[in-house]
Amino acid sequence: MASRTSSYKVVLLGEGRVGKTSLVLRFCRDTFVDGQPPTIQASCLERALRLGDKTVNLVIWDTAGQERFHALGPIYYRDADAALLVYDITDTDSFKRIQVWVRELRKMVGDSIQLSIAGNKSDLERQRVVSRQEAAEYADSVGAHYAETSAKQNRGLDELFSSMGKRLLASREEKLGSPALGSGPASTRRSRGAAMVLIDDEPPASSSSSRCC
Amino acid sequence: MASSSDGGTPSRRVDPAVAAGVEAAVKAAQAHAARAAARLKTQSHCWAALSTGDTRQILDAVRLLRPSAFDSVRSFIATASAADPRVHVRMHSLLDAEAEAVTSDARQFERVRDALEKLVTTRLYPTVFGLGEGDESAETEFEANLAIARDTLTHDRLGVSPVFCDGGAWTASSVMLHRISRHRAPADKLALIVNACRLIERRLHTLGVAEKKASIAERKRADATQRRQARELQIRQVREIQIRQGRELLKRDDLSSDSQRPADEAAVHSFKRLHVAEAIPKASLAPATNGASDHGAAASEEGGDMGSEDADEKAGSEALDVTIGADEFFPVLLWVVLHCTPARLCSELSFISRFRHPDKLRGVSGCYFTHVRAAVKFIEMTARVSEPETAWPSGAADSARSMQGDPRLPREEKDDDDEEEEGQLGPGRYASAAPAPAQPSTLRTTAGRWAEWLIGGVPAIADEPRAPSTRRDDDDGGLNNELRGQSSPRMPSVAHGHIGSMGGMELGRHDSLVEEEEVSAAQLLGFY
């Protein structure tokens, strides 16, 4: 049992039309064996990522990006391990929206969540309005990882997700205490238990939201 | 010889005893070996069973491998009550511990835990369902909210395509959602939610592709007309030039003698022919007029044609790549929840969120589950915002109507029938939750045996006739009938039409998941 699989919940946030669905779809679909029917179900996707001797399973939860559904965010990112915030480099508003989300995430979930910011549509360099430097500085200031991607040309995706996977692994190891690592299923189980307690231990948030929704 | 025979006789006389002893010893050894083999076989059988997805087999195996697990499960069920707000937490930690004691393999662990969860939740269902903290009030509140939200959230406001709403594309999903209340185990309920969502996604995808195809065809047609017009224009221009040239030639012809300009002979000839052919359709004229130039034009046009068709095809395959993400999916799900709300949806969701293992709610199925929860939350929020401004009477009237169990929205017959279904299911749910009333006898007998088994009477691993297979058929048949609206009296003929248009493949593919789950649910219902 040299390798073990751990599953992580990644919430996908971003305005409509920034191409977040295509981004994730491209990332998840590329690993599929040829001849398999293409994925249609894109609102929830799963992909296993191989990092060294470990396999990281990312479950990516897409969210509706329309303005009016913004308030539903907390239901989705409540116990997420990571959030992927996507904006469009040709659209300033979408970048501003990301900043709102980051503030909200930090306020509601705290520092336990790993943030990644993706500037999508990097193939449209000519129409760029959000500079790379500005975005990178912002990402640094909030402790997020920043990458420019192009879902259309399949650029920057692997780097984005593998960095996310690495940071997720590192943070979980930190949380669990690294000695538990080598012991195979037992450690998986411990992590399971930990995840469970984590959820049960926040009745104020859950009871209000789980009452009727 | 005699001595030998004498000696032989006693020895022969002893022989039977020895033989009997030997025989007994051999028999004992054989029996021992058989027992050992049987035990070994059972053990390996158990381990094999743990790797199957069959709840019943897994539970049988667990019973053999760890009999004490059932004692603790039984005592937990006996002591559990809805008054305890942490009953589900206790249940999950108990099941985790028991499953861990049974197996150390991560996969088997999950299966064992799921099987035990199914067992316990099926048992606990009447005790705890809808009785959680605030379940009741949430339910009545939601009913009222629903009525308000229905007025506010129209399909054009949500951005749901009318083709989807009116075409009955959501009927199959709504059937799935209505079936939630027929199952007791949260895993089964969750599977139905996932299936309903996937059907919506699939349907949206199909519609999206169809729309794209239609728009591409439209564009192609427009392009073709444009090309034809351009071609006609070109032909007309060529003809005009030729006519002009011909007139000039004729003028010159009149002035000078014929022999002087033999080179123009051909041009004159062609011009005359042109005039004769005036009545002939323009397109057929083209080749007759000017060979060289027209041929070139035709060739270039053809080339253009081919090029654009290639491009079209390319664009087509790319454009047909419709992605349905949450941006498209969620509003539609919201609309579906709004218009075919299953009975006691809030209690169902709260039950699933408490009694399905939290790890499972972090995976893909949890994601769909969260979408449904978000939809309910959004309905609540919409109602809260629009409550003061929407005319109260209409909201009140609507809620009163829905309280009476009347059709909520008479937009389609389907809706009414769904309500009927709801009504039938609603009150009698606790008393008789057997999924198909057609085969009560099999269910009853198995019920008896399973009840005995749980209490500890009969060793259930014995070769009981494999009832699941027959039940699987029945259940499957029930599902299919229901979905195709053929023999189930509950399904209206309208829905039959709609579902027929859904395309068998997509239904069949997604049913498989539910079907499996349902079989085990039916087994577990035997405990009552």
Side-chain angles (χ1 to χ4, degrees):
Chain A
M1 271 282 200
S3 70
R4 65 191 179 88
T5 312
S6 28
S7 195
Y8 296 94
K9 170 176 162 184
V10 181
V11 178
L12 186 60
L13 298 165
E15 246 185 2
R17 293 175 194 281
V18 297
K20 57 183 157 67
T21 307
S22 332
L23 184 98
V24 174
L25 202 59
R26 169 69 91 145
F27 169 69
C28 293
R29 199 186 265 181
D30 269 3
T31 56
F32 286 169
V33 194
D34 283 339
Q36 222 171 346
T39 334
I40 295 162
Q41 278 91 32
S43 42
C44 302
L45 284 165
E46 203 170 4
R47 179 178 160 174
L49 205 63
R50 193 115 183 103
L51 295 171
D53 66 336
K54 297 190 187 73
T55 309
V56 176
N57 199 33
L58 299 178
V59 182
I60 301 168
W61 295 33
D62 196 1
T63 61
Q66 290 93 326
E67 171 85 48
R68 74 181 99 186
F69 300 130
H70 187 123
L72 298 173
I75 298 179
Y76 291 96
Y77 56 65
R78 203 166 62 84
D79 52 354
D81 298 300
L84 173 58
L85 301 119
V86 187
Y87 75 93
D88 176 354
I89 63 163
T90 67
D91 180 1
T92 327
D93 286 348
S94 70
F95 185 58
K96 280 184 186 148
R97 173 52 76 80
I98 292 295
Q99 301 176 5
V100 175
W101 255 308
V102 169
R103 274 200 295 278
E104 200 180 298
L105 280 168
R106 288 293 183 218
K107 201 175 100 197
M108 309 284 288
V109 195
D111 292 335
S112 62
I113 190 165
Q114 297 291 327
L115 300 184
S116 292
I117 296 178
N120 197 26
K121 305 199 185 173
S122 66
D123 48 300
L124 301 176
E125 188 61 43
R126 279 190 188 172
Q127 298 158 42
R128 176 195 284 275
V129 288
V130 181
S131 80
R132 183 187 283 262
Q133 198 194 348
E134 183 191 352
E137 274 170 11
Y138 173 73
D140 260 357
S141 72
V142 294
H145 171 253
Y146 174 72
E148 294 222 331
T149 57
S150 166
K152 196 175 174 187
Q153 296 175 353
N154 198 4
R155 260 193 291 157
L157 298 180
D158 286 336
E159 191 252 322
L160 173 73
F161 284 100
S162 64
S163 141
M164 180 193 281
K166 276 177 202 151
R167 282 167 350 121
L168 282 170
L169 270 181
S171 80
R172 184 165 286 184
E173 272 164 26
E174 207 174 280
K175 221 183 278 173
L176 291 176
S178 28
L181 257 181
S183 47
S187 65
T188 334
R189 200 147 311 150
R190 196 168 307 163
S191 76
R192 226 180 256 136
M196 213 175 85
V197 171
L198 201 90
I199 292 160
D200 298 334
D201 273 357
E202 41 175 19
S206 62
S207 70
S208 62
S209 60
S210 71
R211 178 150 307 167
C212 185
C213 50
Chain B
M1 274 313 261
S3 73
S4 77
S5 78
D6 276 346
T9 324
S11 79
R12 235 178 241 149
R13 230 176 273 137
V14 174
D15 251 353
V18 172
V22 167
E23 209 171 303
V26 167
K27 261 189 188 162
Q30 271 174 351
H32 181 77
R35 267 203 307 276
R39 202 165 48 234
L40 203 68
K41 205 176 163 192
T42 336
Q43 287 266 341
S44 66
H45 172 76
C46 283
W47 290 113
L50 289 187
S51 303
T52 64
D54 189 84
T55 308
R56 182 200 161 92
Q57 277 187 34
I58 292 173
L59 289 178
D60 283 348
V62 170
R63 189 189 154 73
L64 258 167
L65 292 169
R66 187 177 159 80
S68 66
F70 282 83
D71 296 333
S72 51
V73 163
R74 233 172 281 144
S75 68
F76 172 77
I77 293 170
T79 57
S81 83
D84 178 6
R86 289 178 69 81
V87 61
H88 56 285
V89 181
R90 289 204 294 129
M91 183 192 87
H92 289 310
S93 52
L94 170 76
L95 298 187
D96 275 349
E98 290 299 341
E100 195 160 344
V102 171
T103 171
S104 60
D105 180 78
R107 240 178 219 193
Q108 289 185 346
F109 168 84
E110 282 203 5
R111 290 200 175 113
V112 170
R113 195 191 58 195
D114 280 356
L116 287 172
E117 183 191 285
K118 205 169 252 192
L119 171 72
V120 176
T121 48
T122 311
R123 271 292 263 185
L124 273 185
Y125 184 84
T127 329
V128 295
F129 181 82
L131 298 170
E133 215 184 322
D135 273 2
E136 295 267 351
S137 59
E139 207 65 63
T140 45
E141 218 175 279
F142 182 62
E143 286 279 316
N145 288 339
L146 205 58
I148 301 166
R150 270 192 195 132
D151 290 341
T152 322
L153 299 172
T154 52
H155 66 79
D156 44 331
R157 260 191 224 177
L158 283 175
V160 179
S161 126
V163 182
F164 184 85
C165 305
D166 303 332
W170 45 275
T171 327
S173 302
S174 104
V175 169
M176 294 257 181
L177 287 177
H178 279 285
R179 287 170 71 89
I180 293 176
S181 58
R182 292 197 204 171
H183 297 272
R184 297 189 176 203
D188 298 344
K189 290 174 186 283
L190 191 61
L192 280 167
I193 287 183
V194 172
N195 282 10
C197 290
R198 290 212 162 141
L199 272 178
I200 292 176
E201 276 185 330
R202 197 152 260 277
R203 195 64 191 150
L204 276 178
H205 184 262
T206 320
L207 280 179
V209 170
E211 245 164 57
K212 283 241 164 152
K213 263 187 190 158
S215 77
I216 287 170
E218 181 63 32
R219 214 180 52 221
K220 263 189 180 168
R221 216 173 305 132
D223 280 358
T225 355
Q226 217 175 352
R227 274 204 302 276
R228 200 171 348 104
Q229 282 168 354
R231 196 176 165 144
E232 280 170 11
L233 189 72
Q234 202 180 8
I235 292 167
R236 219 174 299 137
Q237 282 169 351
V238 169
R239 246 182 64 224
E240 273 165 21
I241 292 168
Q242 285 179 341
I243 290 171
R244 218 179 300 130
Q245 284 174 348
R247 284 219 179 98
E248 278 168 18
L249 283 174
L250 276 179
K251 261 183 220 159
R252 262 182 281 164
D253 241 18
D254 290 343
L255 293 176
S256 58
S257 69
D258 285 6
S259 56
Q260 269 178 331
R261 281 186 169 67
D264 288 336
E265 198 78 22
V268 176
H269 183 67
S270 86
F271 173 72
K272 279 178 181 159
R273 235 179 40 193
L274 229 167
H275 269 282
V276 172
E278 194 89 59
I280 300 171
K282 289 160 192 167
S284 63
L285 245 169
T289 47
N290 192 328
S293 80
D294 204 73
H295 186 72
S300 75
E301 214 168 303
E302 234 166 68
D305 261 7
M306 278 183 39
S308 70
E309 242 157 52
D310 264 5
D312 265 2
E313 224 151 77
K314 221 182 202 176
S317 67
E318 233 166 68
L320 288 182
D321 201 7
V322 179
T323 55
I324 301 296
D327 286 351
E328 295 81 23
F329 164 72
F330 184 71
V332 177
L333 176 71
L334 184 55
W335 193 88
V336 171
V337 168
L338 207 54
H339 290 287
C340 42
T341 327
R344 308 188 68 180
L345 182 62
C346 285
S347 304
E348 299 284 2
L349 294 182
S350 132
F351 181 71
I352 296 171
S353 70
R354 288 191 299 150
F355 288 94
R356 185 72 182 126
H357 196 278
D359 277 359
K360 295 287 177 184
L361 291 178
R362 289 168 63 83
V364 170
S365 48
C367 180
Y368 286 112
F369 175 68
T370 307
H371 277 308
V372 176
R373 270 185 23 167
V376 171
K377 180 87 181 167
F378 190 75
I379 290 170
E380 203 177 88
M381 278 164 25
T382 313
R384 212 177 295 147
V385 172
S386 56
E387 210 167 344
E389 58 196 53
T390 34
W392 244 110
S394 79
D398 268 8
S399 70
R401 198 147 45 96
S402 61
M403 295 285 194
Q404 287 163 12
D406 252 285
R408 282 161 192 168
L409 269 194
R411 69 174 52 227
E412 241 183 310
E413 279 181 6
K414 177 70 193 75
D415 249 298
D416 303 10
D417 284 283
D418 273 345
E419 295 292 336
E420 258 177 56
E421 188 177 60
E422 216 171 282
Q424 283 180 5
L425 278 172
R429 197 180 327 132
Y430 296 113
S432 63
Q439 66 276 18
S441 55
T442 41
L443 271 178
R444 278 299 141 246
T445 46
T446 349
R449 300 190 75 152
W450 274 71
E452 274 176 295
W453 174 61
L454 181 72
I455 298 157
V458 191
I461 197 90
D463 29 338
E464 208 174 350
R466 286 277 114 171
S469 66
T470 61
R471 249 180 284 139
R472 184 187 295 269
D473 291 343
D474 288 343
D475 217 71
D476 190 20
L479 177 78
N480 288 340
N481 287 341
E482 165 115 56
L483 276 173
R484 311 229 159 87
Q486 275 165 358
S487 71
S488 169
R490 287 184 192 136
M491 285 298 293
S493 52
V494 178
H496 174 39
H498 287 152
I499 295 181
S501 70
M502 285 289 296
M505 233 183 79
E506 58 190 54
L507 272 175
R509 184 166 156 186
H510 292 284
D511 284 348
S512 58
L513 172 61
V514 182
E515 191 187 300
E516 258 171 52
E517 298 281 353
E518 270 176 82
V519 172
S520 12
Q523 289 164 3
L524 288 168
L525 283 172
F527 281 110
Y528 293 91

